[in-house]
Amino acid sequence: MGIRLLGPVELWRADGEAAAVGGAKRRAVLALLALELGRTVAVERFFELLWGDEPPVQAKAALQGHVAALRKVLAGSGFTLTTRAPGYRLDGDTGAVDALAAGALAARAAETTDDATAAGLLQRALGLWRGAALAGLPATPLCTDLAGRLDEDRTEALTAWARRQLRLGLGHAAVPVLEQSVRADGLREPTAALLMRCLHQSGRGADALRVYHRARVRLDEELGVAPGPALQEALAELPATDRPGRDAPSCQAPDTPSGTAAVEPPVTVGDLPGPPRGFVGRSSEHPWLDRQCGPDRTGDGLAVVTGPAGVGKTATVLHWAHRVAAGFPDGVLFADLRGFDPAGPGDPAQALGRFLRALGLPEQAIPEDRAARAALFRDRTQGRRLLVVLDNARCAAEVADLLPSGPGCAAVITSRNSLEDLVVTDGAALLQLAALPSADAHRLLERLLTAERVAAEPEPAGRLIALCDRLPLALRIVAARLAARPGWRIADLVDELSDEGTRLAALGTQGGAVSVRAALTLTHHHLPGGARSLLALLTVHPGSTTDPYAAAALLDTDAEGARHALGPLTAHHLLAEQTPGRFGRHDLVRLYGSELFARFAPERQRAAFRRLVDYELVATGLAVRRINPYHEPFRPAGPGPRALPRLGDVRSTLAWCHAEEPVLRALVTAATDRGEYERAWRLARSASILYYGAGRVADRLDCLRVGLRAARLDGGREGLAAMEAATACALGSSGRVAEALPLAGRAVGRTTPDDGELHIHALSVRSSMAALSGDPAEADRIARAALALIRASGLREHAATVLSNAAAIKVVLGEPVAALEHARETRALLSDRPTANAHLWAMVSEALARQALGEPEAAERVWREALHLCGSSGNVRLHALARRHFADFLAGTGRTEEAGDQLRAAGELYTAHGDVRLAEDLDRRLAGPAGRRTPAGPTAIAPTPRARHGLRLA
């Protein structure tokens, strides 16, 4: 297993497969630990790594969650992640971390006098690089600094290797990598000097001289300095025949005979529109364009800049093009293709004609046929250094004939469409332009309104930026409106924009010539029918993101139909795939969709909402079956959804629940508000079962309270009993037993044995609440009644739950034999679903029972199996509880250090789960009398009365 940092951060298993580490922040934590292998990294340094100077309030909890997840991934890897004051430490083999291995190889090479051996070592070190170091990590100053140091190490290794090659007489082998390095950083004089020497050794003195002059010009333009000793010495080593002058380059092109002028005249920069006024930001996008299409590029010279309407694609590219135009001696060509113009797109043949005239061809020499013009354009751009800017393209077919063919040429295309065909067929680099960062949006507003006016109303200014979705077009519109009304405060316009019903109307100039709505409408007109419908129908979806299955339900289609609708919306940046399979949208797009939805007939609106709720009911029912295989899922009256998520195991089920939870909770509220009371309480009840493993205790209670209100409004006995039992269960889980008991009692009172599963579930919850309130005898009596009903009726949905609860109660009553019997029966019932909640709880009870029976070896086997299953299932709460109980067991056998480790791990899991109160309780148990950490002994980690039993509460 190894950790790779010299490129994207990755963790590779021994079988050669990459392990799933997680998101950018978690990979950053792993990277810092690996770079500091064998040394403790302070918590504060992680905060700086992940959030810079502004860590959030929950930074410590978030970091603990990342560490806990990394411990799981690193298990069995040869790396050990431990908590060490004042932070965390990773130990393992330095050779398994590519950055450390590369450093060790370079150090060995530096100590070697034999050039061939040193070159071999350095080549091995360079071979470990797979791209830019630490790629894909958060753009904090510390991450940037760490990546910069590693890239500096690579440059030093590369130049050391090239020097050894030069001494071996193999300078030609180093030329390609040195040329790439100089293109990437032309201000590094020693590298340029080394390239000159390698070129000279290869018999390319003229090329060596060109390297010198390019470096001289760049040093003068960017730093205002002359070449230093390194370049001067390399120049002096060139033969006199290769040096026409030390300070002035030859004006003669290498392939042009002396005294012969070029055939085609150069193109002037006048073809490019003027630079955008008031431009700010895009500090990372411009260097990207430099790398892909600039005069000293390292890319292939073809880039597509894409993004939503109003995001500033044209302004960004024009600002960049004016900055680099001087680096294209043959000039710049520009064409607005009007791809989304209501009058129709521009004609590529006309653009070709204008390009050919700009290249010096007379009108009579330009053919009428588009294909002939394209062939002539390709011929005339060979051998030139030319920049072509194609603005507002609609599709790849429009731009194919307008791309120059010379290797010295570059082309940049802007489009609302992602133009993925160009990426596939022509190898174009793709830059997706997002809304401005908050700081840049603030600077733009200051530039448009004056800094004094913005500073006078800082809070309204921030709110105005947010209401504009940080889109440059929207910000320019509101600034123009405020500039035309000097008597208005920013707060006045914020009040107007805060009304969602009129916001889009307010984001337009007087007369509506320029507006956000108009820009969105132009995009909307180019969408296929399914995508247009979905943009409107998403109005009834209350989440910030949606998935293809919900989209299929809204459209009443299958997964393939949903993908055909989501694709164009994503390609035109009306939706953004924020994480794989989850699509989000800006507020302004949401409001535009709402306007479209309002045009639908009321019955069509109601039908779409019901399809969405019914889909979520069926999907949550399937998810619940992964946790309780005997759960009877909801079956809608109609044909039901035509696409459902694939939930392979408990872990993937809980991951789906975590992503979908805000949608479920919001839908329960929306269904209640729309009068769909039965759908609301059924969805709340189904979602409640999933909350236990997925966390979010407060959200679970909020969802259930709305569901309980819907059940009361519905008035049915089944809904009331089901929601009272579910709400009581959640209250008991969060420690609010006094509130839970009356609800559980009412649920039992509303049902009879004739109600079957509903009555059994109510008895099970009432039994759990009795045990939590300190009355195990009453809990046992109710549990026995529930068991008797199960055995008499053969009903199975709640059998495992009741049995696992009964086992836990018997443990509390000091009846380990009965507890073991119930636990083994539960496990037999769920033998094919070992990660089901009831099975895991039964394992906890079995382990506790075996401890009480004096079977420590058997108990430990069960504990370790339970921990493994909890970890593999992804059920964080159960995993934390099992670790806590196992710590009690270890402390009782005198293994205090192991017990402390288990308690600390449990605390991190509780924190990740959102149970801060339980995490703090464990911290107190691990602390000494003065609040200092102490070795975990039996006294320090003695179980509380509540911690001794393993009651199943969900």
Side-chain angles (χ1 to χ4, degrees):
M1 197 158 186
I3 298 174
R4 297 184 179 182
L5 308 178
L6 305 179
V9 176
E10 297 173 340
L11 179 66
W12 284 76
R13 299 195 299 261
D15 60 4
E17 296 292 329
V21 175
K25 285 187 169 60
R26 189 165 299 158
R27 286 184 279 115
V29 172
L30 177 63
L32 182 56
L33 287 166
L35 287 171
E36 299 290 346
L37 193 71
R39 295 187 292 268
T40 299
V41 183
V43 167
E44 291 73 20
R45 194 147 186 248
F46 286 109
F47 292 170
E48 182 186 357
L49 176 81
L50 300 179
W51 299 285
D53 295 331
E54 299 180 357
V57 176
Q58 299 296 328
K60 184 177 180 182
L63 175 60
Q64 289 173 337
H66 290 311
V67 170
L70 285 174
R71 281 191 175 124
K72 291 182 187 176
V73 179
L74 291 167
S77 68
F79 291 99
T80 305
L81 177 52
T82 56
T83 303
R84 292 288 183 270
Y88 300 97
R89 169 172 163 163
L90 184 68
D91 290 288
D93 177 15
T94 57
V97 179
D98 60 357
L100 304 183
L105 288 167
R108 285 173 55 194
E111 297 170 356
T112 303
T113 56
D114 181 73
D115 289 329
T117 301
L121 291 168
L122 290 164
Q123 192 158 6
R124 285 170 55 195
L126 292 168
L128 295 174
W129 259 269
R130 298 166 291 110
L134 307 182
L137 298 191
T140 61
L142 181 54
C143 278
T144 303
D145 181 57
L146 292 172
R149 291 183 205 172
L150 290 173
D151 287 336
E152 180 71 21
D153 290 344
R154 181 182 185 277
T155 301
E156 290 180 4
L158 186 148
T159 53
W161 172 77
R163 280 194 295 272
R164 301 281 188 164
Q165 294 290 88
L166 190 66
R167 288 209 289 263
L168 290 166
L170 300 173
H172 65 278
V175 167
V177 290
L178 287 173
E179 284 181 330
Q180 186 176 13
S181 181
V182 168
R183 280 197 299 270
D185 185 0
L187 301 177
R188 191 183 291 272
E189 292 187 60
T191 309
L194 187 57
L195 174 58
M196 290 174 63
R197 290 188 173 96
C198 289
L199 286 166
H200 171 49
Q201 190 184 76
S202 306
R204 298 168 59 185
D207 289 335
L209 185 63
R210 290 190 191 93
V211 171
Y212 171 80
H213 286 307
R214 279 199 296 267
R216 180 186 62 79
V217 170
R218 191 163 179 181
L219 287 165
D220 179 56
E221 290 180 347
E222 297 188 27
L223 301 180
V225 299
L231 280 171
Q232 293 288 359
E233 290 169 7
L235 179 66
E237 293 171 13
L238 295 179
T241 54
D242 286 333
R243 290 187 283 121
R246 289 176 63 98
D247 296 320
S250 170
C251 294
Q252 179 179 308
D255 298 326
T256 304
S258 177
T260 304
V263 177
E264 290 97 1
V267 184
T268 63
V269 182
D271 200 43
L272 193 65
R277 296 180 180 273
F279 185 87
V280 299
R282 304 306 183 193
S283 57
S284 62
E285 287 83 353
H286 281 172
W288 185 91
L289 285 166
D290 286 339
R291 292 191 298 273
Q292 299 300 331
C293 293
D296 298 314
R297 61 183 175 272
T298 57
D300 292 332
L302 179 59
V304 176
V305 178
T306 183
V311 80
K313 300 178 291 296
T314 301
T316 298
V317 171
L318 285 179
H319 189 269
W320 170 81
H322 277 278
R323 184 170 64 81
V324 302
F328 291 91
D330 292 317
V332 183
L333 292 172
F334 175 87
D336 180 1
L337 300 178
R338 305 195 315 273
F340 296 86
D341 195 294
D347 184 0
Q350 291 183 2
L352 281 167
R354 189 163 58 79
F355 283 1
L356 290 168
R357 285 190 292 274
L359 289 169
L361 269 74
E363 189 70 39
Q364 62 271 20
I366 300 174
E368 291 295 325
D369 180 63
R370 172 177 165 179
R373 288 185 176 190
L376 186 57
F377 178 64
R378 287 192 295 271
D379 179 68
R380 289 299 171 129
T381 53
Q382 278 288 349
R384 291 185 182 269
R385 296 195 66 193
L386 187 72
L387 174 64
V388 177
V389 177
L390 303 174
D391 189 37
N392 200 16
R394 183 169 60 91
C395 62
E398 284 185 352
V399 303
D401 291 338
L402 296 167
L403 300 178
S405 61
C409 296
V412 181
I413 304 157
T414 74
S415 179
R416 298 180 192 183
N417 196 341
S418 58
L419 302 185
E420 291 180 0
D421 287 352
L422 275 181
V423 178
V424 175
T425 60
D426 292 80
L430 184 64
L431 174 64
Q432 294 193 349
L433 213 60
L436 287 172
S438 296
D440 286 344
H442 194 272
R443 285 174 53 213
L444 177 59
L445 202 60
E446 286 181 332
R447 186 163 293 186
L448 297 171
L449 287 179
T450 75
E452 293 76 15
R453 191 169 181 184
V454 174
E457 298 181 79
E459 290 186 12
R463 178 67 179 145
L464 183 66
I465 289 169
L467 289 169
C468 290
D469 277 348
R470 296 178 283 113
L471 286 176
L473 173 63
L475 288 167
R476 289 180 181 276
I477 289 171
V478 296
R481 292 192 62 195
L482 287 168
R485 298 165 178 80
W488 276 35
R489 298 174 305 149
I490 295 176
D492 295 329
L493 188 52
V494 166
D495 290 341
E496 183 178 346
L497 291 173
S498 295
D499 183 351
E500 290 195 345
T502 60
R503 188 182 307 168
L504 282 177
L507 288 175
T509 57
Q510 191 170 6
V514 179
S515 72
V516 172
R517 180 190 282 123
L520 291 170
T521 299
L522 290 178
T523 305
H524 179 255
H525 285 336
H526 288 86
L527 296 173
R532 291 188 191 187
S533 296
L534 183 57
L535 184 62
L537 291 170
L538 282 171
T539 300
V540 302
H541 192 287
S544 59
T545 63
T546 188
D547 64 15
Y549 309 106
L554 289 168
L555 289 168
D556 195 16
T557 186
D558 57 15
E560 187 67 19
R563 281 191 289 271
H564 282 310
L566 287 166
L569 291 175
T570 305
H572 288 82
H573 300 280
L574 295 169
L575 297 181
E577 194 167 5
Q578 297 175 352
T579 57
R582 304 291 308 188
F583 300 83
R585 60 203 158 143
H586 285 296
D587 275 349
L588 296 179
V589 174
R590 176 180 58 81
L591 295 176
Y592 182 72
S594 297
E595 291 185 354
L596 300 175
F597 184 72
R599 303 172 191 171
F600 289 176
E603 185 51 43
R604 186 180 180 187
Q605 294 178 359
R606 282 192 297 272
F609 181 78
R610 287 170 179 168
R611 286 196 304 272
L612 178 63
V613 179
D614 287 352
Y615 153 72
E616 295 289 2
L617 276 165
V618 174
T620 54
L622 292 176
V624 170
R625 282 181 72 86
R626 290 293 174 191
I627 295 171
N628 177 4
Y630 300 109
H631 172 73
E632 191 64 32
F634 170 79
R635 290 182 173 81
R642 296 162 62 184
L644 290 166
R646 296 183 181 91
L647 305 174
D649 54 21
V650 173
R651 179 178 286 277
S652 63
T653 297
L654 292 178
W656 178 84
C657 297
H658 181 80
E660 201 70 6
E661 184 277 333
V663 177
L664 298 174
R665 183 159 37 95
L667 268 181
V668 171
T669 300
T672 303
D673 293 342
R674 287 172 176 262
E676 301 281 353
Y677 301 131
E678 183 179 356
R679 283 182 167 88
W681 71 254
R682 287 190 182 279
L683 184 58
R685 180 193 184 193
S686 188
S688 173
I689 301 170
L690 301 173
Y691 268 106
Y692 187 85
R696 302 186 179 185
V697 176
D699 291 340
R700 179 189 188 192
L701 279 170
D702 289 344
C703 181
L704 284 167
R705 287 196 181 99
V706 176
L708 180 58
R709 179 165 66 90
R712 287 170 178 159
L713 291 168
D714 189 41
R717 187 171 59 86
E718 178 191 358
L720 279 168
M723 290 311 303
E724 285 166 345
T727 307
C729 186
L731 286 167
S733 292
S734 60
R736 297 158 68 174
V737 182
E739 296 175 61
L741 276 168
L743 281 172
R746 284 199 289 272
V748 172
R750 290 186 195 278
T751 58
T752 69
D754 291 338
D755 291 312
E757 299 282 12
L758 183 61
H759 184 59
I760 291 169
H761 179 56
L763 288 172
S764 177
V765 173
R766 180 65 183 85
S767 171
S768 297
M769 297 309 105
L772 284 175
S773 67
D775 190 354
E778 175 66 3
D780 185 48
R781 183 189 67 79
I782 299 171
R784 282 189 281 107
L787 280 173
L789 282 173
I790 287 171
R791 301 194 195 287
S793 64
L795 295 172
R796 305 182 71 190
E797 180 172 355
H798 297 289
T801 300
V802 172
L803 280 165
S804 63
N805 274 354
I809 291 166
K810 291 298 186 182
V811 170
V812 176
L813 287 171
E815 300 179 26
V817 174
L820 187 59
E821 180 184 340
H822 290 323
R824 298 302 296 175
E825 188 176 355
T826 306
R827 295 188 63 184
L829 194 62
L830 297 172
S831 59
D832 59 336
R833 296 289 177 87
T835 54
N837 278 0
H839 186 274
L840 296 173
W841 274 108
M843 294 185 75
V844 171
S845 295
E846 179 181 345
L848 290 169
R850 292 192 182 280
Q851 286 175 222
L853 290 169
E855 302 175 10
E857 292 181 359
E860 183 163 352
R861 281 197 301 272
V862 177
W863 279 127
R864 294 197 181 278
E865 184 184 358
L867 288 175
H868 171 72
L869 289 172
C870 285
S872 63
S873 74
N875 191 321
V876 179
R877 185 181 177 92
L878 272 171
H879 197 184
L881 182 134
R883 284 194 180 278
R884 192 178 71 186
H885 285 313
F886 188 40
D888 293 339
F889 168 80
L890 292 169
T893 60
R895 291 140 72 181
T896 55
E897 186 174 349
E898 290 182 64
D901 288 342
Q902 290 294 332
L903 275 187
R904 277 184 281 273
E908 291 176 354
L909 288 167
Y910 277 131
T911 300
H913 184 270
D915 287 333
V916 179
R917 179 177 54 82
L918 290 173
E920 290 174 348
D921 175 59
L922 292 185
D923 274 344
R924 283 191 294 271
R925 291 168 61 192
L926 282 164
R932 299 188 305 272
R933 292 278 177 176
T934 61
T939 302
I941 61 171
T944 61
R946 187 180 174 195
R948 289 193 190 98
H949 49 70
L951 291 175
R952 169 160 169 71
L953 300 175

